[in-house]
Amino acid sequence: MVTRSVRPGVRGIADDAGSAVPPKPGEWDWTVSLIDPMLQGLLQTWQSKCRHGMLPARRDFDPLDMRDCLGWLFVAQVEPEIDDFRYTLIGTEITEHVGRDNTGRRIGEVFGPAGLDLYSQVRDSQRPVRVWGVVDWLDKEHKSYETLLLPLADDGRIVDRFIGAMVFGSAK
C-alpha cells in the first residue's frame, strides 16, 4: 500500500484563542483502501460518473440521491488566482465532530502547507485519495477519522472542485 505522511509541524487549525495547533501527520492512501462503507459507496458513485476517461462534474451529484451521507459531505472549490482551495460546504456531522464550521475558509488557512499540498496533488493527478488518522486538534485526540477526497471537473478535464466525506470513530 502506498501511503504518504503529511509533514508534521506545519501550521494547523487555529484554536479559539487564535493560536495555531499543528496537526499530527495524517496518512495519505493513494490506493484508496477505504474502511467505512459509506465512503466506499461514495467512491463507487464517483467512479460510476467517470465516463470515457472524464472526471465527473459537481452537477452529476444529486443531493437527493445522497441523503444518507449529506451530513458527512464537504465540497471545496479551486481558487486558481491565489493557488488555494475554499470550502463551500461542510456537513453538519463534520462540524459537530470537529467543533467548528470551516465553510467559506481556505484550505491553506485551515490546514496550512500540508493541506495545500494534498489538494494540489489530487487536483494535478486527478485521482482520489483516502486520508486517515487521529483528530489531534481542539482536544479531540480520542477520535479517529477517515476522509475520502474526490476531484471534480465541470469540463471533465480540469479539476475545479472536490467532493468528499469525513467519518469519525474512536481512536484505538
Side-chain angles (χ1 to χ4, degrees), residues 20-165:
V21 178
K24 291 179 186 169
E27 295 294 324
W28 300 6
D29 174 9
W30 293 99
T31 66
V32 197
S33 301
L34 296 162
I35 296 170
D36 184 81
M38 184 194 64
L39 296 179
Q40 292 170 354
L42 180 59
L43 177 61
Q44 290 170 352
T45 299
W46 179 84
Q47 289 169 330
S48 74
K49 295 176 184 304
C50 292
R51 295 193 178 103
H52 310 294
M54 305 288 270
L55 292 171
R58 165 62 189 91
R59 67 182 169 273
D60 294 328
F61 294 85
D62 184 348
L64 294 176
D65 295 336
M66 305 174 77
R67 279 178 253 179
D68 294 341
C69 61
L70 284 179
W72 307 101
L73 288 178
F74 61 87
V75 177
Q77 69 183 26
V78 175
E79 295 197 338
E81 62 281 354
I82 59 172
D83 199 27
D84 207 335
F85 313 90
R86 186 176 302 276
Y87 286 117
T88 58
L89 171 83
I90 298 179
T92 56
E93 295 292 339
I94 296 173
T95 60
E96 181 180 314
H97 283 274
V98 172
R100 68 178 42 199
D101 184 358
N102 287 311
T103 303
R105 294 182 71 195
R106 292 185 324 273
I107 301 300
E109 177 185 5
V110 175
F111 293 110
L116 286 173
D117 189 26
L118 173 66
Y119 276 73
S120 294
Q121 286 193 41
V122 173
R123 177 198 59 205
D124 296 346
S125 70
Q126 300 183 344
R127 294 174 36 207
V129 67
R130 170 187 177 243
V131 181
W132 57 278
V134 174
V135 178
D136 65 337
W137 59 92
L138 302 173
D139 298 320
K140 305 245 186 241
E141 293 87 358
H142 60 282
K143 293 184 180 189
S144 63
Y145 70 92
E146 182 178 32
T147 300
L148 175 63
L149 181 61
L150 303 161
L152 302 175
D154 282 345
D155 68 359
R157 293 185 231 51
I158 298 171
V159 175
D160 54 13
R161 282 188 187 82
F162 305 88
I163 191 170

